[in-house]
Amino acid sequence: MQAPAAFHRLLGSAALCGALAATGAPAQAVLVNGGFESGLDGWTVADLPGSDGGFRSQSGSGSPLTASPVAAPPQGTRAAMSDAEGPGAHVLYQDFVVPAGVSTALLSFQLYVRNEAGEAFVPETLAFATPALNQQVRVDLLLPSADVFATDSLQPLYRSTPGTAGQAAYQLLSFDVAAVLQAHEGQTLRLRFADTNNVALQNVGVDAVNLAVSVVPEPATAGMLALGLAGCLVPGLWRRRRAAAVAQGG
């Protein structure tokens, strides 16, 4: 027995209304390959001249160059990790375009630091070929026009704390970056992870990088959504009133 056409229309309206109700401030994909399952595709690495090693794709519980014991990737099978047999300064970064109409923006990532020095030293430079002890990790939002090893940034996200040691496991870190993105809508920004060591060897692991951005719909889209939701609500209200009247014998 075939369902009446009116029933099919009702099902179609219900599906449409469900889709409209689920549509609010749509999330946009901003970063690519944040889990590093495709190696370092979408990311760029850089090393100061004279540096040993650098960031590489890593899996398992050994570092990618020296096979030192490290924490395994917390998400999937691969992470990005710096590794070296000597001192150096290394960065891993990705440029992205800020979408228009940013409402909320949360940047999160998993970070691991294996610091053989036993403590951090954080002079105001990422250079390693200096008399100053320099054993630090930094994560920042930069303008792409800035030096990739600059220490001034649009928004500092993470920096080693002087005197602290490394960590035995990955740590999940989250940051509200809505304000800086709203101030640079339509522009290109850079997310940078930096590792400098001239005291002892150091591994820095990065995984599960995600920038979750919600945007405010364009005025025309918002108007269509409002009309669509109104079209869903009015028939529903009419049906409820009609059911109440029938129940009361009307």
Side-chain angles (χ1 to χ4, degrees):
M1 178 178 179
Q2 291 186 344
F7 181 70
H8 285 292
R9 288 195 296 271
L10 180 61
L11 285 178
S13 297
L16 175 60
C17 291
L20 287 170
T23 305
Q28 293 194 15
V30 179
L31 298 175
V32 300
N33 192 29
F36 301 99
E37 296 305 298
S38 300
L40 300 186
D41 289 351
W43 296 85
T44 303
V45 297
D47 309 291
L48 280 179
S51 297
D52 189 86
F55 275 96
R56 289 171 166 78
S57 178
Q58 183 267 338
S59 63
S61 56
S63 64
L65 179 63
T66 64
S68 300
V70 296
Q75 174 180 288
T77 61
R78 308 199 72 83
M81 182 172 286
S82 64
D83 200 9
E85 297 178 308
H90 321 286
V91 301
L92 172 74
Y93 68 88
Q94 184 173 147
D95 293 346
F96 62 92
V97 177
V98 180
V102 172
S103 173
T104 64
L106 185 69
L107 175 66
S108 61
F109 52 85
Q110 296 263 10
L111 186 69
Y112 167 76
V113 180
R114 176 181 174 270
N115 179 6
E116 291 190 4
E119 60 181 314
F121 301 91
V122 290
E124 205 47 59
T125 178
L126 287 173
F128 72 96
T130 65
L133 300 181
N134 199 348
Q135 193 87 3
Q136 65 173 300
V137 181
R138 292 185 64 128
V139 186
D140 302 270
L141 285 176
L142 307 171
L143 287 172
S145 57
D147 188 306
V148 73
F149 288 94
T151 54
D152 55 331
S153 63
L154 291 175
Q155 182 172 348
L157 303 171
Y158 173 90
R159 187 178 184 184
S160 299
T161 303
T164 57
Q167 54 200 49
Y170 275 88
Q171 294 182 350
L172 176 62
L173 303 173
S174 300
F175 305 90
D176 184 348
V177 296
V180 67
L181 265 61
Q182 289 166 352
H184 296 84
E185 288 188 358
Q187 300 181 36
T188 298
L189 298 184
R190 174 170 293 167
L191 172 62
R192 179 198 64 186
F193 297 86
D195 161 35
T196 297
N197 63 290
N198 68 4
V199 181
L201 300 183
Q202 179 167 265
N203 299 109
V204 177
V206 182
D207 200 7
V209 185
N210 183 52
L211 178 52
V213 176
S214 295
V215 299
V216 177
E218 295 291 335
T221 304
M224 292 176 64
L225 288 174
L227 288 173
L229 286 172
C232 295
L233 294 174
V234 170
L237 180 60
W238 180 88
R239 283 193 294 271
R240 285 194 296 273
R241 289 179 175 174
R242 178 61 181 163
V246 170
Q248 294 174 4

